[in-house]
Amino acid sequence: MLTMNALPNVPRWAVLAAHAVPLVTLPSGLWRIALVAGLPVAEQPVEGGWEIAYVVGLSVLSELLALLTLGLVQGWGEVVPRWVPLLGGRGVRPLAAVVPALLGAAGLAGIAVYGFHAQAAGLGDGTIGTPAQDLLLLVCYLPLLAWPPLLVAVTVAYHRRRRQARLARWA
């Protein structure tokens, strides 16, 4: 059976949601890597060093940001790992995790809304190639719509758990 690392007081649904976030970002990243690799996923290939660096960098950055969601259910979201210079071993203030996570979710939701608005308003031609290439793009990017709500749910669970722990210390 698949085991997922999490703190003992984290609800199972939050653990599953946190582990789902990197998985929903993976298809779009793989699509971008395939584009850079020259696979026929779009009619226009990526050309030039900076364009390749941007596309690969975007894929790596989005996956790394998605992996940060795991910190909301694991110990390194409450205490900075010892190997981190200057901060290692210190406690993570709850708002230091909650505020960036919620701002990130709002930004991701804004990008999604803009994307749908641009498509509905006819900004651009709306296609990247053949119908099969367009379908592949849609299948790879559609899971990204789950990222903001999953991130919000895990963040709210983190905040509640940390607040309850703080209140229990005062009691």
Side-chain angles (χ1 to χ4, degrees):
M1 178 168 178
L2 180 65
T3 60
M4 294 184 211
N5 294 335
L7 295 170
N9 56 345
V10 177
R12 179 139 176 85
W13 67 264
V15 175
L16 293 171
H19 282 81
V21 170
L23 296 176
V24 301
T25 62
L26 192 58
S28 62
L30 292 175
W31 184 90
R32 288 189 295 269
I33 298 300
L35 180 66
V36 168
L39 297 175
V41 295
E43 283 186 355
Q44 293 292 326
V46 176
E47 297 175 0
W50 286 110
E51 198 173 331
I52 290 171
Y54 169 75
V55 172
V56 171
L58 178 62
S59 298
V60 171
L61 180 64
S62 63
E63 198 61 36
L64 289 174
L65 290 172
L67 287 167
L68 283 177
T69 307
L70 295 173
L72 299 172
V73 299
Q74 295 180 358
W76 54 274
E78 294 186 11
V79 177
V80 179
R82 294 227 175 262
W83 58 265
V84 175
L86 304 174
L87 298 175
R90 293 185 184 193
V92 175
R93 292 180 161 247
L95 289 180
V98 170
V99 170
L102 292 178
L103 288 174
L108 290 166
I111 290 169
V113 167
Y114 173 76
F116 278 106
H117 167 72
Q119 187 68 25
L123 304 176
D125 68 3
T127 65
I128 57 138
T130 66
Q133 290 171 329
D134 290 341
L135 179 62
L136 179 63
L137 177 73
L138 182 65
V139 167
C140 289
Y141 272 79
L142 212 53
L144 284 177
L145 294 177
W147 191 359
L150 287 170
L151 181 54
V152 168
V154 175
T155 303
V156 168
Y158 172 86
H159 179 66
R160 286 181 179 166
R161 187 179 76 253
R162 296 293 304 270
R163 188 181 70 206
Q164 287 172 350
R166 190 177 68 232
L167 292 175
R169 280 190 306 237
W170 287 91

